[in-house]
Amino acid sequence: MIRIRTLLTIACSSLLISCYAQLPTDSTAEKMLVYQLGNGGWPKQLEDKSVVNYGASLTPELLAKIKATKDLHATFDNKATSREVVYLVKAYKKTQNKAYLTAAEKGLDYILAAQYANGGWPQYYPDQSSYRSEITYNDDAMINVLDILQDIATKKNDFEVVNPEYTKKAEKAVAKGIDCILKTQVKQKGELTIWAAQYDKDSMLPAKARAFEPASLATGESAGIVRFLMGIKNPSADVKKSVAAAVKWFDTYKISGFRFVREKGKTASLIADNTSMAWARFYDLEKNVPIFGDRDNSIKSKLEELSAERRNGYAWYGNWGQKIIEKEYPKWLTINGK
């Protein structure tokens, strides 16, 4: 009898191992499991400052670099962490490989832990050095996270597969995030405008980041914030007011008939294009005039005054608000009214 039980146990174990071995896998998702840090987040760079590249083979040398990367490198910058969570959830939906969902949910735990009491998210967590602790809209860091949590709360974009326990947590985090967005919308003489790229985590006032990124109104990030707010179903009066004010600002300060060209080997500049609208990357917080930051912390009033490296190495103008003004906001108004 004992021998029969032993044989049955071995047979069942072999069957389970065989079933697991036959589970479909996703090569990129497999690499994401390797790159995930102990706190659940992902880095954008490894300890040696090399950029995370999921197209690279996991050689012994690269694996050693990944292993040496500390939890302090976990970040939301450059879509890190949000990119992986979204990908892993979709990979789980496709393959039913539970390891991918487990990793994604660990990433969600990291996202929830990183949120400040005031509703904002830092660029890095738990690293608090320099501008990494600031509430960060820059490069859509906070909006990328809020999009994920909103998908969990509304069970959309494959996020219905996550543990139902995350639904209430996500709803609460989104509510706090929206509150932070409304509180940080810059006012000028009592009038709402748009947003800065980052804010001091305690005072919630606009703050500078890198030397060439001064405290200022930031058009690219503000466009992303407006789109997020317009995606809210049954928006509150405060959200409607926020959206309307931001769109009014974009419309008031548009540069009609121009687009920004930045090509390798050529000097970046605005050129005439009667089909385009443009906005400067940064505007003075009080005067609404374009400003341009340089490596030496100086602020210029004209693009031509920048050093060649900075003038050609940054997107100083863009058409960030054009689709919002021409298509998205009018469509939003038909649903939500003025």
Side-chain angles (χ1 to χ4, degrees):
M1 182 64 77
I2 295 174
R3 187 182 175 194
I4 292 172
R5 285 178 183 171
T6 303
L7 289 172
L8 284 172
T9 301
I10 293 171
C12 289
S13 298
S14 298
L15 183 61
L16 286 171
I17 292 169
S18 175
C19 288
Y20 180 79
Q22 291 174 18
L23 270 178
T25 59
D26 179 294
S27 60
T28 301
E30 291 293 316
K31 290 177 182 177
M32 288 179 174
L33 300 185
V34 176
Y35 276 95
Q36 189 171 27
L37 297 169
N39 58 11
W42 278 266
K44 70 170 186 176
Q45 292 179 327
L46 301 179
E47 196 73 30
D48 68 343
K49 296 188 177 180
S50 60
V51 177
V52 170
N53 175 16
Y54 290 116
S57 298
L58 293 174
T59 63
E61 181 184 10
L62 179 54
L63 285 169
K65 290 180 181 180
I66 294 170
K67 188 176 180 180
T69 302
K70 299 181 180 67
D71 285 1
L72 283 175
H73 288 273
T75 181
F76 303 110
D77 195 27
N78 290 5
K79 297 184 179 179
T81 300
S82 57
R83 166 186 57 187
E84 285 84 0
V85 169
V86 169
Y87 192 97
L88 286 166
V89 164
K90 291 185 180 301
Y92 169 72
K93 185 92 178 275
K94 181 181 177 182
T95 66
Q96 294 299 300
N97 192 321
K98 192 66 183 293
Y100 302 157
L101 182 59
T102 299
E105 290 179 344
K106 189 176 179 183
L108 292 177
D109 291 335
Y110 169 78
I111 287 172
L112 292 167
Q115 187 178 27
Y116 290 135
N118 60 27
W121 271 269
Q123 186 185 54
Y124 279 72
Y125 176 79
D127 190 353
Q128 297 281 294
S129 63
S130 185
Y131 56 84
R132 293 182 171 187
S133 66
E134 293 171 354
I135 296 169
T136 303
Y137 298 122
N138 189 44
D139 290 338
D140 299 323
M142 183 164 151
I143 295 303
N144 288 338
V145 169
L146 281 170
D147 281 339
I148 288 172
L149 294 171
Q150 189 75 295
D151 283 344
I152 294 171
T154 55
K155 301 185 186 302
K156 288 185 176 179
N157 296 322
D158 299 326
F159 277 90
E160 74 279 359
V161 301
V162 304
N163 191 317
E165 291 182 2
Y166 285 100
T167 305
K168 289 294 183 185
K169 294 177 183 178
E171 289 173 352
K172 183 178 178 181
V174 169
K176 288 170 62 179
I178 293 170
D179 185 58
C180 178
I181 287 172
L182 297 179
K183 286 179 178 176
T184 52
Q185 189 168 10
V186 176
K187 283 186 177 181
Q188 296 172 347
K189 297 179 181 179
E191 293 293 319
L192 292 170
T193 62
I194 56 173
W195 290 264
Q198 51 274 318
Y199 292 75
D200 181 271
K201 67 182 179 67
D202 299 313
S203 69
M204 297 180 78
L205 294 173
K208 74 181 294 294
R210 290 175 291 187
F212 52 89
E213 295 171 328
S216 57
L217 298 176
T219 49
E221 284 73 19
S222 293
I225 294 170
V226 169
R227 287 192 173 97
F228 173 77
L229 293 177
M230 288 196 299
I232 297 171
K233 281 194 173 183
N234 302 314
S236 66
D238 285 339
V239 168
K240 289 181 180 181
K241 182 180 178 182
S242 174
V243 170
V247 174
K248 180 181 177 181
W249 188 97
F250 272 107
D251 193 41
T252 301
Y253 295 101
K254 66 180 182 291
I255 306 169
S256 297
F258 286 90
R259 64 184 171 87
F260 187 58
V261 176
R262 183 164 61 112
E263 297 177 4
K264 191 173 183 180
K266 295 182 180 180
T267 301
S269 61
L270 281 173
I271 65 169
D273 182 346
N274 60 13
T275 67
S276 185
M277 300 176 189
W279 288 264
R281 179 75 175 79
F282 301 125
Y283 284 79
D284 182 88
L285 285 165
E286 297 177 358
K287 300 176 183 177
N288 298 308
V289 294
I291 56 175
F292 308 88
D294 220 327
R295 288 281 186 190
D296 60 359
N297 279 300
S298 63
I299 298 176
K300 314 295 186 184
S301 60
K302 294 181 180 179
L303 180 64
E304 294 78 14
E305 296 173 347
L306 289 175
S307 61
E309 181 270 332
R310 274 299 80 198
R311 177 173 178 176
N312 299 311
Y314 203 68
W316 291 108
Y317 288 90
N319 64 347
W320 298 291
Q322 185 166 356
K323 285 185 179 180
I324 290 174
I325 290 173
E326 293 180 342
K327 297 179 180 180
E328 297 167 21
Y329 182 60
K331 183 179 179 181
W332 181 83
L333 279 178
T334 62
I335 300 170
N336 298 284
K338 293 186 179 180

